Amino acid sequence: MTAQTQARRVLLAAPRGYCAGVDRAVIAVEKALEQYGAPVYVRHEIVHNKYVVQTLEKKGAIFVDQATEVPPGNIVMFSAHGVAPSVHEEAREGRLATIDATCPLVTKVHKEAVRFAKEDYDILLIGHEGHEEVIGTSGEAPDHITLVDGPEDVANVEVRDESRVVWLSQTTLSVDETMETVDALKEKFPNLISPPSDDICYATQNRQTAIKELAKQSDLVIVVGSKNSSNSQRMVDVAKQAGCPAAYLVDFASEIDESWLDGVGTVGVSSGASVPDVLVEEVLAWLSEKGYGDVEIVKTAEESLTFSLPKELRRDLRAEAAALIEERTGRSTEA
């Protein structure tokens, strides 16, 4: 398929963009700023998207690497990727009021890790080393969890008892790569058991299914998302594996190289689960200016899942933070 034989068009994936966990986390920061006023501290990026982080910073959110950087008596929010129990302890010791915006689907994996560790299983956690979600999950049961970073890592895995082994996974991985890793693990450990339900989140799976469909029909796929977004990176990988000649990840329309359009008739467009649709609209406008104004929706799934906001937003956290300082110093913050 070339630009000469195919009219210029855009195939726009549906679903795309915000998942329920990201939507919940971003709204949680906005609500906290409305209710408690600035500053509200956030440990790490609330979600892995440059635009979202910059927008929240302008509203008064302060992003820090560690809870220990937050001055006592303040509010700190934990990101959608989840944190280890040790981070909760750091916040308590630092006299901080906390809001836990961990995605409920990540929380599910944490609970699975705790349960299997209590039953003395060796837990093989499929995920990428250094990713925040992996660090948080590993912290739930560090003595029981071994990280498996792809199929090539399986040969190095050792367990105490091959009859008591279970696998869990990071929620934002490529479905195909994860199952390839699981198959390799099952070949090595025939008694390996699977988690009660699939750990890879529904939104990640849906976006990868949609990108496969786009890739079959496109000469070029553009995924809107940040470089540190695992699910966005995987969408680019999936597009290439599905046979698309070229696939790129961009944060903003301004990052698109016009040379990518050479000989291209059909452009597939989608976005990662932490990307607001305004950024996709900018990409569509940019493509329209280049002659790709015909946009066709490619719908592969319906999404209706929503999550309630963190329960901490129903409390007076400023008062709680002040009480924590008073508890430490023995005097009121109003004195």
Side-chain angles (χ1 to χ4, degrees), residues 18-28 31 47 80-81 100-109 171 198-204 207 273 303-311 313-314:
Y18 273 8
C19 63
V22 164
D23 195 42
R24 172 181 185 264
V26 174
I27 292 174
K31 289 288 186 185
V47 296
H81 306 102
D100 191 351
T102 302
C103 173
L105 299 179
V106 175
T107 298
K108 176 183 77 73
V109 180
T171 64
D198 195 348
D199 284 345
I200 297 177
C201 97
Y202 77 97
T204 296
R207 280 147 191 73
E303 290 183 352
S304 58
L305 182 66
T306 59
F307 295 128
S308 59
L309 292 173
K311 61 183 183 300
L313 289 169
R314 298 193 289 269

Short mmCIF file of all heavy atoms in Angstrom, two decimals, residues 18-28 31 47 80-81 100-109 171 198-204 207 273 303-311 313-314:
data_model
loop_
_atom_site.label_atom_id
_atom_site.label_comp_id
_atom_site.label_asym_id
_atom_site.label_seq_id
_atom_site.Cartn_x
_atom_site.Cartn_y
_atom_site.Cartn_z
N TYR A 18 -6.92 7.65 28.26
CA TYR A 18 -7.12 7.39 29.69
C TYR A 18 -7.84 6.08 29.98
O TYR A 18 -8.90 5.79 29.42
CB TYR A 18 -7.95 8.51 30.30
CG TYR A 18 -7.19 9.72 30.78
CD1 TYR A 18 -5.83 9.88 30.52
CD2 TYR A 18 -7.83 10.72 31.52
CE1 TYR A 18 -5.14 10.99 30.96
CE2 TYR A 18 -7.15 11.84 31.96
CZ TYR A 18 -5.81 11.98 31.69
OH TYR A 18 -5.13 13.08 32.12
N CYS A 19 -7.26 5.32 30.90
CA CYS A 19 -7.95 4.17 31.48
C CYS A 19 -8.58 4.62 32.80
O CYS A 19 -8.36 5.75 33.27
CB CYS A 19 -6.97 3.03 31.74
SG CYS A 19 -5.68 3.44 32.96
N ALA A 20 -9.34 3.75 33.42
CA ALA A 20 -10.06 4.11 34.65
C ALA A 20 -9.10 4.46 35.79
O ALA A 20 -9.35 5.39 36.57
CB ALA A 20 -10.98 2.97 35.07
N GLY A 21 -7.98 3.73 35.87
CA GLY A 21 -7.03 3.99 36.95
C GLY A 21 -6.33 5.32 36.81
O GLY A 21 -6.10 6.03 37.80
N VAL A 22 -5.97 5.69 35.58
CA VAL A 22 -5.32 6.98 35.33
C VAL A 22 -6.31 8.12 35.57
O VAL A 22 -5.99 9.12 36.21
CB VAL A 22 -4.78 7.03 33.89
CG1 VAL A 22 -4.46 8.47 33.48
CG2 VAL A 22 -3.53 6.17 33.77
N ASP A 23 -7.53 7.96 35.07
CA ASP A 23 -8.56 8.98 35.26
C ASP A 23 -8.76 9.25 36.75
O ASP A 23 -8.83 10.40 37.20
CB ASP A 23 -9.86 8.52 34.61
CG ASP A 23 -10.86 9.64 34.44
OD1 ASP A 23 -10.45 10.76 34.05
OD2 ASP A 23 -12.06 9.42 34.70
N ARG A 24 -8.84 8.17 37.52
CA ARG A 24 -9.01 8.28 38.97
C ARG A 24 -7.85 9.02 39.62
O ARG A 24 -8.05 9.91 40.47
CB ARG A 24 -9.13 6.87 39.57
CG ARG A 24 -9.13 6.78 41.08
CD ARG A 24 -9.21 5.30 41.46
NE ARG A 24 -9.34 5.10 42.89
CZ ARG A 24 -8.33 4.84 43.71
NH1 ARG A 24 -7.09 4.78 43.22
NH2 ARG A 24 -8.52 4.65 45.00
N ALA A 25 -6.63 8.69 39.22
CA ALA A 25 -5.45 9.29 39.83
C ALA A 25 -5.34 10.78 39.53
O ALA A 25 -5.04 11.60 40.41
CB ALA A 25 -4.19 8.56 39.37
N VAL A 26 -5.58 11.15 38.27
CA VAL A 26 -5.47 12.56 37.88
C VAL A 26 -6.55 13.39 38.57
O VAL A 26 -6.28 14.48 39.10
CB VAL A 26 -5.57 12.71 36.35
CG1 VAL A 26 -5.62 14.18 35.95
CG2 VAL A 26 -4.38 12.02 35.68
N ILE A 27 -7.79 12.87 38.59
CA ILE A 27 -8.87 13.58 39.28
C ILE A 27 -8.58 13.70 40.77
O ILE A 27 -8.88 14.72 41.40
CB ILE A 27 -10.22 12.87 39.04
CG1 ILE A 27 -10.63 13.00 37.58
CG2 ILE A 27 -11.31 13.44 39.94
CD1 ILE A 27 -11.88 12.21 37.21
N ALA A 28 -7.93 12.67 41.34
CA ALA A 28 -7.60 12.70 42.76
C ALA A 28 -6.66 13.86 43.08
O ALA A 28 -6.83 14.55 44.11
CB ALA A 28 -6.98 11.37 43.19
N LYS A 31 -8.77 17.10 42.78
CA LYS A 31 -9.68 17.24 43.91
C LYS A 31 -8.93 17.61 45.19
O LYS A 31 -9.40 18.43 45.99
CB LYS A 31 -10.44 15.93 44.13
CG LYS A 31 -11.47 15.61 43.07
CD LYS A 31 -12.69 16.52 43.19
CE LYS A 31 -13.78 16.10 42.24
NZ LYS A 31 -14.93 17.03 42.25
N VAL A 47 1.03 9.83 36.95
CA VAL A 47 0.97 8.88 35.83
C VAL A 47 2.13 9.23 34.90
O VAL A 47 2.67 10.34 34.97
CB VAL A 47 -0.38 8.95 35.06
CG1 VAL A 47 -1.53 8.54 35.95
CG2 VAL A 47 -0.61 10.35 34.49
N ALA A 80 -0.39 6.26 40.69
CA ALA A 80 -1.23 5.15 40.23
C ALA A 80 -0.44 3.84 40.15
O ALA A 80 -1.04 2.76 40.15
CB ALA A 80 -1.81 5.48 38.85
N HIS A 81 0.89 3.92 40.12
CA HIS A 81 1.71 2.71 39.94
C HIS A 81 1.89 1.90 41.23
O HIS A 81 2.34 0.76 41.19
CB HIS A 81 3.09 3.09 39.40
CG HIS A 81 3.01 3.91 38.16
ND1 HIS A 81 3.20 5.27 38.15
CD2 HIS A 81 2.73 3.57 36.88
CE1 HIS A 81 3.05 5.73 36.91
NE2 HIS A 81 2.76 4.72 36.13
N ASP A 100 -3.67 7.58 48.81
CA ASP A 100 -3.17 6.47 48.00
C ASP A 100 -3.98 6.39 46.71
O ASP A 100 -5.12 5.96 46.69
CB ASP A 100 -3.29 5.16 48.78
CG ASP A 100 -2.56 4.02 48.10
OD1 ASP A 100 -2.11 4.21 46.94
OD2 ASP A 100 -2.42 2.94 48.70
N ALA A 101 -3.36 6.84 45.61
CA ALA A 101 -4.03 6.83 44.30
C ALA A 101 -3.63 5.61 43.47
O ALA A 101 -3.78 5.61 42.24
CB ALA A 101 -3.72 8.11 43.54
N THR A 102 -3.11 4.58 44.12
CA THR A 102 -2.74 3.36 43.40
C THR A 102 -3.93 2.82 42.62
O THR A 102 -5.03 2.71 43.15
CB THR A 102 -2.25 2.27 44.38
OG1 THR A 102 -1.14 2.77 45.12
CG2 THR A 102 -1.83 1.01 43.64
N CYS A 103 -3.71 2.46 41.36
CA CYS A 103 -4.78 1.88 40.56
C CYS A 103 -5.28 0.60 41.24
O CYS A 103 -4.47 -0.25 41.66
CB CYS A 103 -4.25 1.53 39.16
SG CYS A 103 -5.43 0.61 38.16
N PRO A 104 -6.58 0.43 41.38
CA PRO A 104 -7.11 -0.78 42.02
C PRO A 104 -6.64 -2.08 41.37
O PRO A 104 -6.53 -3.11 42.04
CB PRO A 104 -8.63 -0.62 41.88
CG PRO A 104 -8.83 0.87 41.88
CD PRO A 104 -7.65 1.41 41.10
N LEU A 105 -6.33 -2.05 40.07
CA LEU A 105 -5.85 -3.26 39.41
C LEU A 105 -4.41 -3.59 39.84
O LEU A 105 -4.02 -4.76 39.89
CB LEU A 105 -5.94 -3.11 37.90
CG LEU A 105 -7.35 -2.89 37.35
CD1 LEU A 105 -7.32 -2.73 35.84
CD2 LEU A 105 -8.28 -4.02 37.76
N VAL A 106 -3.63 -2.54 40.16
CA VAL A 106 -2.29 -2.76 40.71
C VAL A 106 -2.41 -3.26 42.15
O VAL A 106 -1.68 -4.17 42.57
CB VAL A 106 -1.46 -1.47 40.64
CG1 VAL A 106 -0.10 -1.66 41.32
CG2 VAL A 106 -1.26 -1.04 39.19
N THR A 107 -3.34 -2.67 42.89
CA THR A 107 -3.57 -3.12 44.27
C THR A 107 -3.91 -4.60 44.31
O THR A 107 -3.49 -5.34 45.21
CB THR A 107 -4.70 -2.30 44.91
OG1 THR A 107 -4.32 -0.92 44.95
CG2 THR A 107 -5.01 -2.77 46.33
N LYS A 108 -4.68 -5.06 43.30
CA LYS A 108 -5.02 -6.48 43.22
C LYS A 108 -3.76 -7.34 43.14
O LYS A 108 -3.65 -8.37 43.82
CB LYS A 108 -5.91 -6.73 42.00
CG LYS A 108 -6.25 -8.19 41.76
CD LYS A 108 -7.08 -8.37 40.50
CE LYS A 108 -6.25 -8.29 39.24
NZ LYS A 108 -5.41 -9.48 39.01
N VAL A 109 -2.79 -6.92 42.34
CA VAL A 109 -1.54 -7.67 42.21
C VAL A 109 -0.78 -7.66 43.54
O VAL A 109 -0.22 -8.67 43.97
CB VAL A 109 -0.67 -7.10 41.08
CG1 VAL A 109 0.63 -7.90 40.95
CG2 VAL A 109 -1.42 -7.13 39.75
N THR A 171 1.18 -4.82 35.28
CA THR A 171 -0.12 -4.70 34.59
C THR A 171 -0.02 -4.11 33.19
O THR A 171 -0.98 -4.19 32.42
CB THR A 171 -1.10 -3.84 35.40
OG1 THR A 171 -0.60 -2.50 35.49
CG2 THR A 171 -1.32 -4.42 36.79
N ASP A 198 -6.24 -12.60 35.24
CA ASP A 198 -5.15 -12.02 34.46
C ASP A 198 -4.69 -10.72 35.09
O ASP A 198 -5.49 -9.84 35.40
CB ASP A 198 -5.65 -11.77 33.04
CG ASP A 198 -4.53 -11.50 32.07
OD1 ASP A 198 -3.39 -11.29 32.52
OD2 ASP A 198 -4.79 -11.49 30.86
N ASP A 199 -3.37 -10.56 35.29
CA ASP A 199 -2.84 -9.35 35.91
C ASP A 199 -2.74 -8.18 34.94
O ASP A 199 -2.80 -7.03 35.34
CB ASP A 199 -1.44 -9.62 36.49
CG ASP A 199 -1.49 -10.41 37.80
OD1 ASP A 199 -2.59 -10.50 38.38
OD2 ASP A 199 -0.45 -10.94 38.21
N ILE A 200 -2.55 -8.46 33.65
CA ILE A 200 -2.42 -7.37 32.69
C ILE A 200 -3.77 -6.66 32.58
O ILE A 200 -4.80 -7.28 32.38
CB ILE A 200 -1.97 -7.89 31.31
CG1 ILE A 200 -0.58 -8.51 31.45
CG2 ILE A 200 -1.94 -6.75 30.29
CD1 ILE A 200 -0.06 -9.12 30.18
N CYS A 201 -3.77 -5.35 32.75
CA CYS A 201 -5.02 -4.62 32.91
C CYS A 201 -5.82 -4.62 31.62
O CYS A 201 -5.29 -4.71 30.51
CB CYS A 201 -4.75 -3.22 33.44
SG CYS A 201 -4.68 -1.92 32.22
N TYR A 202 -7.13 -4.48 31.79
CA TYR A 202 -8.06 -4.51 30.67
C TYR A 202 -7.72 -3.44 29.63
O TYR A 202 -7.82 -3.68 28.42
CB TYR A 202 -9.50 -4.30 31.18
CG TYR A 202 -9.78 -2.85 31.51
CD1 TYR A 202 -10.42 -2.02 30.58
CD2 TYR A 202 -9.35 -2.28 32.70
CE1 TYR A 202 -10.63 -0.68 30.85
CE2 TYR A 202 -9.56 -0.95 32.98
CZ TYR A 202 -10.20 -0.15 32.05
OH TYR A 202 -10.39 1.18 32.31
N ALA A 203 -7.32 -2.25 30.10
CA ALA A 203 -7.05 -1.14 29.19
C ALA A 203 -5.81 -1.43 28.35
O ALA A 203 -5.77 -1.13 27.15
CB ALA A 203 -6.87 0.15 29.97
N THR A 204 -4.78 -2.00 28.97
CA THR A 204 -3.58 -2.37 28.24
C THR A 204 -3.92 -3.38 27.14
O THR A 204 -3.50 -3.24 25.99
CB THR A 204 -2.53 -2.96 29.20
OG1 THR A 204 -2.13 -1.96 30.14
CG2 THR A 204 -1.31 -3.46 28.45
N ARG A 207 -6.03 -1.70 24.30
CA ARG A 207 -5.25 -0.80 23.44
C ARG A 207 -4.31 -1.58 22.53
O ARG A 207 -4.05 -1.18 21.39
CB ARG A 207 -4.52 0.24 24.29
CG ARG A 207 -5.44 1.37 24.72
CD ARG A 207 -5.11 1.96 26.09
NE ARG A 207 -6.20 2.84 26.51
CZ ARG A 207 -7.40 2.42 26.92
NH1 ARG A 207 -7.69 1.13 26.94
NH2 ARG A 207 -8.33 3.29 27.29
N ALA A 273 -2.46 4.65 27.87
CA ALA A 273 -3.52 4.73 28.88
C ALA A 273 -3.38 5.92 29.83
O ALA A 273 -4.25 6.15 30.66
CB ALA A 273 -3.55 3.43 29.69
N GLU A 303 -15.46 0.33 26.62
CA GLU A 303 -14.96 0.44 27.99
C GLU A 303 -15.92 1.29 28.82
O GLU A 303 -16.27 2.40 28.41
CB GLU A 303 -13.56 1.07 28.01
CG GLU A 303 -12.49 0.17 27.43
CD GLU A 303 -11.09 0.75 27.52
OE1 GLU A 303 -10.95 1.94 27.90
OE2 GLU A 303 -10.14 0.02 27.21
N SER A 304 -16.32 0.74 29.97
CA SER A 304 -17.25 1.47 30.85
C SER A 304 -16.81 1.45 32.31
O SER A 304 -17.48 2.02 33.16
CB SER A 304 -18.66 0.88 30.73
OG SER A 304 -18.65 -0.51 31.06
N LEU A 305 -15.67 0.81 32.58
CA LEU A 305 -15.21 0.67 33.97
C LEU A 305 -14.82 2.02 34.56
O LEU A 305 -14.16 2.84 33.91
CB LEU A 305 -14.01 -0.28 34.02
CG LEU A 305 -13.43 -0.58 35.41
CD1 LEU A 305 -14.44 -1.35 36.25
CD2 LEU A 305 -12.13 -1.37 35.28
N THR A 306 -15.24 2.27 35.78
CA THR A 306 -14.81 3.44 36.54
C THR A 306 -14.45 3.02 37.94
O THR A 306 -14.95 2.00 38.45
CB THR A 306 -15.91 4.52 36.60
OG1 THR A 306 -17.08 3.96 37.23
CG2 THR A 306 -16.28 5.03 35.22
N PHE A 307 -13.59 3.81 38.58
CA PHE A 307 -13.20 3.54 39.97
C PHE A 307 -13.57 4.73 40.83
O PHE A 307 -13.45 5.89 40.39
CB PHE A 307 -11.69 3.30 40.07
CG PHE A 307 -11.20 2.07 39.36
CD1 PHE A 307 -10.14 2.16 38.46
CD2 PHE A 307 -11.78 0.84 39.59
CE1 PHE A 307 -9.67 1.03 37.81
CE2 PHE A 307 -11.32 -0.30 38.94
CZ PHE A 307 -10.25 -0.20 38.05
N SER A 308 -13.99 4.48 42.05
CA SER A 308 -14.28 5.56 42.98
C SER A 308 -12.97 6.22 43.40
O SER A 308 -11.90 5.60 43.38
CB SER A 308 -15.03 5.05 44.21
OG SER A 308 -14.27 4.05 44.88
N LEU A 309 -13.06 7.48 43.81
CA LEU A 309 -11.87 8.23 44.21
C LEU A 309 -11.33 7.69 45.53
O LEU A 309 -12.06 7.07 46.31
CB LEU A 309 -12.19 9.71 44.34
CG LEU A 309 -12.51 10.44 43.03
CD1 LEU A 309 -12.97 11.86 43.30
CD2 LEU A 309 -11.31 10.44 42.11
N PRO A 310 -10.03 7.92 45.80
CA PRO A 310 -9.44 7.45 47.07
C PRO A 310 -10.25 7.95 48.27
O PRO A 310 -10.67 9.11 48.32
CB PRO A 310 -8.04 8.07 47.06
CG PRO A 310 -7.72 8.23 45.61
CD PRO A 310 -9.03 8.58 44.95
N LYS A 311 -10.49 7.05 49.22
CA LYS A 311 -11.33 7.36 50.38
C LYS A 311 -10.76 8.50 51.22
O LYS A 311 -11.49 9.20 51.93
CB LYS A 311 -11.51 6.11 51.25
CG LYS A 311 -10.22 5.54 51.83
CD LYS A 311 -10.49 4.27 52.60
CE LYS A 311 -9.23 3.71 53.26
NZ LYS A 311 -8.17 3.39 52.28
N LEU A 313 -9.87 11.31 50.38
CA LEU A 313 -10.37 12.62 49.96
C LEU A 313 -11.65 13.00 50.68
O LEU A 313 -12.12 14.14 50.57
CB LEU A 313 -10.62 12.62 48.44
CG LEU A 313 -9.36 12.61 47.58
CD1 LEU A 313 -9.70 12.35 46.12
CD2 LEU A 313 -8.59 13.92 47.72
N ARG A 314 -12.21 12.06 51.45
CA ARG A 314 -13.40 12.37 52.23
C ARG A 314 -13.06 12.86 53.64
O ARG A 314 -13.94 13.09 54.46
CB ARG A 314 -14.31 11.13 52.32
CG ARG A 314 -14.81 10.66 50.95
CD ARG A 314 -15.94 9.65 51.09
NE ARG A 314 -15.48 8.36 51.59
CZ ARG A 314 -15.09 7.36 50.81
NH1 ARG A 314 -15.07 7.51 49.50
NH2 ARG A 314 -14.71 6.22 51.34
#
